[in-house]
Amino acid sequence: MLLRNKRNYYLMKASSPLVVRSPQQLRDAIPTGDRMDTQRQLVDRLRSTFRSGITIPETFRQTQLTMLMSMIQDNEDQILNALHKDLAKPKFEAVMSEIDIVINELHYAIANLASWMKPEYAGTNLATKFDDCSVRREPLGVVLIIGPWNYPLQLLIVPLIGAIAAGNCAVIKPSEVSAATDSLMAELIPKYLSQDCYAVVSGGAEETKALLQNRFDHIFYTGSQAVARSILRAASDHLTPVTLELGGKCPCLIYGKVNMASAAQRLVWSKYFNAGQSCVAPDYVLCSQATRDALLPALRQTLEEFYSKDPQTCPDVSRIVSPQHWTRLMELLNRSRGKVVVGGESNQEDKYIAPTVVVDVAEDDALMEEEIFGPILPIITAESLQQGIDFVNRKEKPLALYVFSEESSIVNAVLEKTSSGGFCSNDGIVHMTLPTLPFGGVGGSGWGSYHGRWSFETFSHRRAVMLRGWALERLNSLRYPPYSEQKLSWLRWTTSAKSSCSLM
């Protein structure tokens, strides 16, 4: 790992822009202790910048958000090429799920930042009637954002939008698994954003481990539960608050009257988008046997319409991100006791797995042990809606839960009797594209939420403020010794809920 400024001198200065590059041969040459010292200096420098107050004014935040938008728009072709190199993402999917989501979040933040920053005035009671009471949003300080590989632009930059909007400095850690996007972000971010306030750190597990030795004011992590536990342990040493955007097995329940053709199209699109490598992709289907028998022909027809009879040659099919992930998926499929009824073909060299459907899957099947995170869809038979709901409730709370039905009573029953990070009826994934809805998990699928205003809130401290003058000291005397029953009676009346009022 080397720290270098934009002139590519391999040195570090307190005033120089810092971008961390980590080609394997260079990273291995630097001892762990030196790596930790270098990163500590980086964090200290950002903290010094934050304490200067440069990130506080709205004009600074707006400028940085505008520059971030320019970064995306000016370099769209480079970004698309990197995403294709990492995951063979079709341009259509990359624009939808990476470019446009980020641009829309930026527009939303820029348009609403002034109102988000305004104090929120609080109601008062009789005892505080003449006080100025409000909630003030203040930046946390220096935050760490650790991005994943499956949507390496969107899931790195959208949290950064919130951090910038809230007035923080940030260390940005892209995933080394999506190496092309990692390298591009390390190149572009310091060209567009203030290099005194934002720094990119590239590298693998050792770099992340070294980073976590430092004290941050917030850590935002998107990824697996296993890594999240390590981050929690490291954060606990500094009592650092964390946001964890994880995942889990997102169920799709199909019950009652359903338009099978439309259901198949929406299910196939949301499941096999990005080769199933989406934390909110439907992980498995729950339905009756009769519904399954009606669904399968529709799935076959839709898969052929979407991806042709030979999906491997279809330009709209992404690839698995790495040989290791390909091997994990194939091991799950090979260990499964279910029956492959659609797909199943694969090519290790091409990191390709065909869109696959598996039936006769039991609750304890290998495909149900962990989040699949690939183009394999198990269908599990649960004859009644209540059996399907009970099945879901025996598992960890998912990041998203889907129900397909034309019957509102069924949709409402699933909504009321289950818990999940997000909920969507009669479609998949699309709920997380709106900046007006919070996105996040619950329990094992994540802590905290973001998107739109919720990103701003995640990276802000809500500071309670009461501004008092020196008037009405006679009223204040009710709380001073010597105490008496009469004083207590009057004090309870002036501070009771009955005497409260809203002075907005």
mmCIF file of all heavy atoms in Angstrom, residues 126-156:
data_model
loop_
_atom_site.group_PDB
_atom_site.id
_atom_site.type_symbol
_atom_site.label_atom_id
_atom_site.label_comp_id
_atom_site.label_asym_id
_atom_site.label_seq_id
_atom_site.Cartn_x
_atom_site.Cartn_y
_atom_site.Cartn_z
ATOM 1 N N LEU A 126 -45.504 25.214 30.306
ATOM 2 C CA LEU A 126 -45.650 26.530 30.909
ATOM 3 C C LEU A 126 -44.349 27.016 31.542
ATOM 4 O O LEU A 126 -44.003 28.200 31.460
ATOM 5 C CB LEU A 126 -46.767 26.489 31.960
ATOM 6 C CG LEU A 126 -47.156 27.830 32.583
ATOM 7 C CD1 LEU A 126 -47.617 28.817 31.502
ATOM 8 C CD2 LEU A 126 -48.253 27.636 33.632
ATOM 9 N N ALA A 127 -43.601 26.069 32.112
ATOM 10 C CA ALA A 127 -42.352 26.447 32.785
ATOM 11 C C ALA A 127 -41.276 26.896 31.804
ATOM 12 O O ALA A 127 -40.327 27.582 32.181
ATOM 13 C CB ALA A 127 -41.842 25.291 33.629
ATOM 14 N N THR A 128 -41.397 26.481 30.537
ATOM 15 C CA THR A 128 -40.388 26.821 29.524
ATOM 16 C C THR A 128 -40.992 27.625 28.382
ATOM 17 O O THR A 128 -40.438 27.669 27.282
ATOM 18 C CB THR A 128 -39.739 25.531 28.971
ATOM 19 O OG1 THR A 128 -40.775 24.694 28.429
ATOM 20 C CG2 THR A 128 -38.997 24.777 30.045
ATOM 21 N N LYS A 129 -42.120 28.261 28.665
ATOM 22 C CA LYS A 129 -42.877 28.931 27.603
ATOM 23 C C LYS A 129 -42.063 29.992 26.877
ATOM 24 O O LYS A 129 -42.222 30.202 25.670
ATOM 25 C CB LYS A 129 -44.133 29.550 28.206
ATOM 26 C CG LYS A 129 -45.036 30.229 27.176
ATOM 27 C CD LYS A 129 -46.309 30.743 27.821
ATOM 28 C CE LYS A 129 -47.214 31.401 26.799
ATOM 29 N NZ LYS A 129 -48.466 31.894 27.408
ATOM 30 N N PHE A 130 -41.190 30.673 27.573
ATOM 31 C CA PHE A 130 -40.446 31.775 26.957
ATOM 32 C C PHE A 130 -39.034 31.360 26.533
ATOM 33 O O PHE A 130 -38.206 32.205 26.224
ATOM 34 C CB PHE A 130 -40.394 32.959 27.916
ATOM 35 C CG PHE A 130 -41.760 33.511 28.211
ATOM 36 C CD1 PHE A 130 -42.405 33.202 29.396
ATOM 37 C CD2 PHE A 130 -42.410 34.311 27.283
ATOM 38 C CE1 PHE A 130 -43.670 33.697 29.663
ATOM 39 C CE2 PHE A 130 -43.673 34.809 27.541
ATOM 40 C CZ PHE A 130 -44.322 34.499 28.734
ATOM 41 N N ASP A 131 -38.775 30.061 26.528
ATOM 42 C CA ASP A 131 -37.473 29.559 26.091
ATOM 43 C C ASP A 131 -37.524 29.189 24.615
ATOM 44 O O ASP A 131 -38.567 28.823 24.079
ATOM 45 C CB ASP A 131 -37.063 28.337 26.915
ATOM 46 C CG ASP A 131 -36.905 28.666 28.389
ATOM 47 O OD1 ASP A 131 -36.461 29.782 28.682
ATOM 48 O OD2 ASP A 131 -37.250 27.810 29.231
ATOM 49 N N ASP A 132 -36.374 29.259 23.989
ATOM 50 C CA ASP A 132 -36.236 28.875 22.582
ATOM 51 C C ASP A 132 -35.707 27.445 22.560
ATOM 52 O O ASP A 132 -34.522 27.210 22.821
ATOM 53 C CB ASP A 132 -35.268 29.829 21.884
ATOM 54 C CG ASP A 132 -35.199 29.607 20.380
ATOM 55 O OD1 ASP A 132 -35.804 28.622 19.904
ATOM 56 O OD2 ASP A 132 -34.536 30.393 19.697
ATOM 57 N N CYS A 133 -36.561 26.473 22.245
ATOM 58 C CA CYS A 133 -36.191 25.050 22.296
ATOM 59 C C CYS A 133 -36.200 24.466 20.885
ATOM 60 O O CYS A 133 -37.163 24.649 20.132
ATOM 61 C CB CYS A 133 -37.163 24.279 23.185
ATOM 62 S SG CYS A 133 -37.192 24.859 24.888
ATOM 63 N N SER A 134 -35.136 23.760 20.546
ATOM 64 C CA SER A 134 -35.035 23.219 19.194
ATOM 65 C C SER A 134 -34.123 22.002 19.174
ATOM 66 O O SER A 134 -33.399 21.717 20.129
ATOM 67 C CB SER A 134 -34.487 24.281 18.234
ATOM 68 O OG SER A 134 -33.164 24.652 18.601
ATOM 69 N N VAL A 135 -34.182 21.291 18.056
ATOM 70 C CA VAL A 135 -33.258 20.188 17.774
ATOM 71 C C VAL A 135 -32.361 20.642 16.634
ATOM 72 O O VAL A 135 -32.842 21.031 15.565
ATOM 73 C CB VAL A 135 -34.007 18.904 17.388
ATOM 74 C CG1 VAL A 135 -33.015 17.783 17.083
ATOM 75 C CG2 VAL A 135 -34.981 18.484 18.490
ATOM 76 N N ARG A 136 -31.080 20.592 16.861
ATOM 77 C CA ARG A 136 -30.092 21.086 15.906
ATOM 78 C C ARG A 136 -29.320 19.893 15.344
ATOM 79 O O ARG A 136 -28.805 19.057 16.101
ATOM 80 C CB ARG A 136 -29.153 22.050 16.627
ATOM 81 C CG ARG A 136 -27.958 22.562 15.858
ATOM 82 C CD ARG A 136 -27.083 23.378 16.807
ATOM 83 N NE ARG A 136 -25.789 23.717 16.244
ATOM 84 C CZ ARG A 136 -25.532 24.858 15.622
ATOM 85 N NH1 ARG A 136 -26.467 25.765 15.502
ATOM 86 N NH2 ARG A 136 -24.322 25.102 15.142
ATOM 87 N N ARG A 137 -29.271 19.766 14.022
ATOM 88 C CA ARG A 137 -28.488 18.687 13.383
ATOM 89 C C ARG A 137 -27.047 19.133 13.221
ATOM 90 O O ARG A 137 -26.772 20.152 12.574
ATOM 91 C CB ARG A 137 -29.061 18.344 12.016
ATOM 92 C CG ARG A 137 -30.102 17.229 12.031
ATOM 93 C CD ARG A 137 -31.402 17.647 12.609
ATOM 94 N NE ARG A 137 -32.396 16.568 12.544
ATOM 95 C CZ ARG A 137 -33.625 16.694 12.975
ATOM 96 N NH1 ARG A 137 -34.030 17.837 13.517
ATOM 97 N NH2 ARG A 137 -34.473 15.681 12.890
ATOM 98 N N GLU A 138 -26.134 18.350 13.799
ATOM 99 C CA GLU A 138 -24.714 18.674 13.723
ATOM 100 C C GLU A 138 -23.936 17.482 13.168
ATOM 101 O O GLU A 138 -24.301 16.329 13.423
ATOM 102 C CB GLU A 138 -24.183 19.037 15.111
ATOM 103 C CG GLU A 138 -24.827 20.287 15.699
ATOM 104 C CD GLU A 138 -24.238 20.665 17.046
ATOM 105 O OE1 GLU A 138 -23.545 19.812 17.638
ATOM 106 O OE2 GLU A 138 -24.482 21.803 17.496
ATOM 107 N N PRO A 139 -22.873 17.739 12.406
ATOM 108 C CA PRO A 139 -22.077 16.626 11.875
ATOM 109 C C PRO A 139 -21.394 15.849 12.981
ATOM 110 O O PRO A 139 -21.094 16.395 14.051
ATOM 111 C CB PRO A 139 -21.061 17.320 10.965
ATOM 112 C CG PRO A 139 -21.002 18.739 11.445
ATOM 113 C CD PRO A 139 -22.366 19.049 11.979
ATOM 114 N N LEU A 140 -21.146 14.572 12.723
ATOM 115 C CA LEU A 140 -20.531 13.697 13.722
ATOM 116 C C LEU A 140 -19.025 13.901 13.806
ATOM 117 O O LEU A 140 -18.444 13.809 14.883
ATOM 118 C CB LEU A 140 -20.844 12.239 13.386
ATOM 119 C CG LEU A 140 -22.328 11.860 13.394
ATOM 120 C CD1 LEU A 140 -22.508 10.432 12.895
ATOM 121 C CD2 LEU A 140 -22.916 12.022 14.786
ATOM 122 N N GLY A 141 -18.376 14.133 12.660
ATOM 123 C CA GLY A 141 -16.919 14.309 12.662
ATOM 124 C C GLY A 141 -16.283 13.603 11.484
ATOM 125 O O GLY A 141 -16.583 13.900 10.323
ATOM 126 N N VAL A 142 -15.422 12.639 11.760
ATOM 127 C CA VAL A 142 -14.751 11.858 10.714
ATOM 128 C C VAL A 142 -15.395 10.470 10.684
ATOM 129 O O VAL A 142 -15.372 9.751 11.678
ATOM 130 C CB VAL A 142 -13.241 11.733 10.974
ATOM 131 C CG1 VAL A 142 -12.577 10.907 9.880
ATOM 132 C CG2 VAL A 142 -12.608 13.126 11.047
ATOM 133 N N VAL A 143 -15.969 10.119 9.556
ATOM 134 C CA VAL A 143 -16.691 8.858 9.442
ATOM 135 C C VAL A 143 -15.979 7.928 8.467
ATOM 136 O O VAL A 143 -15.221 8.374 7.595
ATOM 137 C CB VAL A 143 -18.144 9.092 8.994
ATOM 138 C CG1 VAL A 143 -18.858 10.029 9.965
ATOM 139 C CG2 VAL A 143 -18.214 9.655 7.573
ATOM 140 N N LEU A 144 -16.232 6.644 8.621
ATOM 141 C CA LEU A 144 -15.666 5.617 7.743
ATOM 142 C C LEU A 144 -16.804 4.949 6.994
ATOM 143 O O LEU A 144 -17.769 4.479 7.605
ATOM 144 C CB LEU A 144 -14.892 4.586 8.565
ATOM 145 C CG LEU A 144 -14.409 3.329 7.823
ATOM 146 C CD1 LEU A 144 -13.418 3.688 6.718
ATOM 147 C CD2 LEU A 144 -13.771 2.335 8.812
ATOM 148 N N ILE A 145 -16.686 4.884 5.666
ATOM 149 C CA ILE A 145 -17.679 4.235 4.813
ATOM 150 C C ILE A 145 -17.007 3.068 4.106
ATOM 151 O O ILE A 145 -16.055 3.258 3.350
ATOM 152 C CB ILE A 145 -18.266 5.221 3.793
ATOM 153 C CG1 ILE A 145 -18.980 6.365 4.513
ATOM 154 C CG2 ILE A 145 -19.217 4.506 2.833
ATOM 155 C CD1 ILE A 145 -19.383 7.510 3.599
ATOM 156 N N ILE A 146 -17.491 1.859 4.371
ATOM 157 C CA ILE A 146 -16.934 0.648 3.778
ATOM 158 C C ILE A 146 -17.951 0.088 2.796
ATOM 159 O O ILE A 146 -19.049 -0.321 3.182
ATOM 160 C CB ILE A 146 -16.591 -0.400 4.847
ATOM 161 C CG1 ILE A 146 -15.642 0.190 5.895
ATOM 162 C CG2 ILE A 146 -15.974 -1.642 4.208
ATOM 163 C CD1 ILE A 146 -15.358 -0.739 7.066
ATOM 164 N N GLY A 147 -17.600 0.091 1.514
ATOM 165 C CA GLY A 147 -18.539 -0.325 0.470
ATOM 166 C C GLY A 147 -18.386 -1.785 0.091
ATOM 167 O O GLY A 147 -17.352 -2.407 0.344
ATOM 168 N N PRO A 148 -19.404 -2.359 -0.548
ATOM 169 C CA PRO A 148 -19.367 -3.747 -1.004
ATOM 170 C C PRO A 148 -19.012 -3.845 -2.480
ATOM 171 O O PRO A 148 -18.832 -2.826 -3.161
ATOM 172 C CB PRO A 148 -20.807 -4.202 -0.763
ATOM 173 C CG PRO A 148 -21.604 -2.971 -1.113
ATOM 174 C CD PRO A 148 -20.751 -1.769 -0.726
ATOM 175 N N TRP A 149 -18.985 -5.070 -2.994
ATOM 176 C CA TRP A 149 -18.580 -5.290 -4.376
ATOM 177 C C TRP A 149 -19.746 -5.432 -5.348
ATOM 178 O O TRP A 149 -19.574 -5.306 -6.555
ATOM 179 C CB TRP A 149 -17.711 -6.543 -4.491
ATOM 180 C CG TRP A 149 -18.309 -7.783 -3.886
ATOM 181 C CD1 TRP A 149 -18.036 -8.299 -2.657
ATOM 182 C CD2 TRP A 149 -19.290 -8.655 -4.479
ATOM 183 N NE1 TRP A 149 -18.787 -9.438 -2.433
ATOM 184 C CE2 TRP A 149 -19.562 -9.680 -3.544
ATOM 185 C CE3 TRP A 149 -19.960 -8.670 -5.700
ATOM 186 C CZ2 TRP A 149 -20.475 -10.702 -3.797
ATOM 187 C CZ3 TRP A 149 -20.877 -9.687 -5.952
ATOM 188 C CH2 TRP A 149 -21.122 -10.685 -5.009
ATOM 189 N N ASN A 150 -20.965 -5.716 -4.862
ATOM 190 C CA ASN A 150 -22.048 -6.072 -5.786
ATOM 191 C C ASN A 150 -22.637 -4.861 -6.510
ATOM 192 O O ASN A 150 -23.025 -4.948 -7.673
ATOM 193 C CB ASN A 150 -23.140 -6.856 -5.058
ATOM 194 C CG ASN A 150 -23.733 -6.099 -3.892
ATOM 195 O OD1 ASN A 150 -23.055 -5.327 -3.216
ATOM 196 N ND2 ASN A 150 -25.007 -6.315 -3.640
ATOM 197 N N TYR A 151 -22.726 -3.730 -5.821
ATOM 198 C CA TYR A 151 -23.083 -2.452 -6.449
ATOM 199 C C TYR A 151 -22.008 -1.464 -5.997
ATOM 200 O O TYR A 151 -22.236 -0.626 -5.141
ATOM 201 C CB TYR A 151 -24.484 -1.997 -6.038
ATOM 202 C CG TYR A 151 -25.572 -2.890 -6.591
ATOM 203 C CD1 TYR A 151 -26.025 -3.996 -5.884
ATOM 204 C CD2 TYR A 151 -26.128 -2.635 -7.842
ATOM 205 C CE1 TYR A 151 -26.996 -4.829 -6.394
ATOM 206 C CE2 TYR A 151 -27.114 -3.463 -8.371
ATOM 207 C CZ TYR A 151 -27.537 -4.562 -7.631
ATOM 208 O OH TYR A 151 -28.513 -5.385 -8.152
ATOM 209 N N PRO A 152 -20.820 -1.580 -6.579
ATOM 210 C CA PRO A 152 -19.651 -0.891 -6.006
ATOM 211 C C PRO A 152 -19.665 0.622 -6.144
ATOM 212 O O PRO A 152 -18.922 1.301 -5.438
ATOM 213 C CB PRO A 152 -18.476 -1.499 -6.785
ATOM 214 C CG PRO A 152 -19.069 -1.988 -8.068
ATOM 215 C CD PRO A 152 -20.457 -2.427 -7.735
ATOM 216 N N LEU A 153 -20.503 1.158 -7.012
ATOM 217 C CA LEU A 153 -20.653 2.611 -7.081
ATOM 218 C C LEU A 153 -21.779 3.065 -6.157
ATOM 219 O O LEU A 153 -21.564 3.850 -5.240
ATOM 220 C CB LEU A 153 -20.941 3.062 -8.517
ATOM 221 C CG LEU A 153 -21.129 4.580 -8.655
ATOM 222 C CD1 LEU A 153 -19.781 5.289 -8.610
ATOM 223 C CD2 LEU A 153 -21.878 4.930 -9.936
ATOM 224 N N GLN A 154 -22.976 2.556 -6.390
ATOM 225 C CA GLN A 154 -24.150 3.005 -5.639
ATOM 226 C C GLN A 154 -23.966 2.865 -4.131
ATOM 227 O O GLN A 154 -24.199 3.816 -3.374
ATOM 228 C CB GLN A 154 -25.384 2.204 -6.061
ATOM 229 C CG GLN A 154 -26.642 2.609 -5.326
ATOM 230 C CD GLN A 154 -27.617 1.463 -5.123
ATOM 231 O OE1 GLN A 154 -28.239 1.344 -4.068
ATOM 232 N NE2 GLN A 154 -27.773 0.608 -6.124
ATOM 233 N N LEU A 155 -23.544 1.696 -3.678
ATOM 234 C CA LEU A 155 -23.508 1.426 -2.242
ATOM 235 C C LEU A 155 -22.299 2.036 -1.549
ATOM 236 O O LEU A 155 -22.199 1.989 -0.326
ATOM 237 C CB LEU A 155 -23.567 -0.083 -1.994
ATOM 238 C CG LEU A 155 -24.840 -0.756 -2.512
ATOM 239 C CD1 LEU A 155 -24.834 -2.251 -2.194
ATOM 240 C CD2 LEU A 155 -26.097 -0.098 -1.953
ATOM 241 N N LEU A 156 -21.418 2.651 -2.326
ATOM 242 C CA LEU A 156 -20.320 3.442 -1.767
ATOM 243 C C LEU A 156 -20.661 4.928 -1.756
ATOM 244 O O LEU A 156 -20.427 5.624 -0.763
ATOM 245 C CB LEU A 156 -19.045 3.213 -2.583
ATOM 246 C CG LEU A 156 -17.771 3.881 -2.062
ATOM 247 C CD1 LEU A 156 -17.232 3.138 -0.849
ATOM 248 C CD2 LEU A 156 -16.719 3.961 -3.160
#
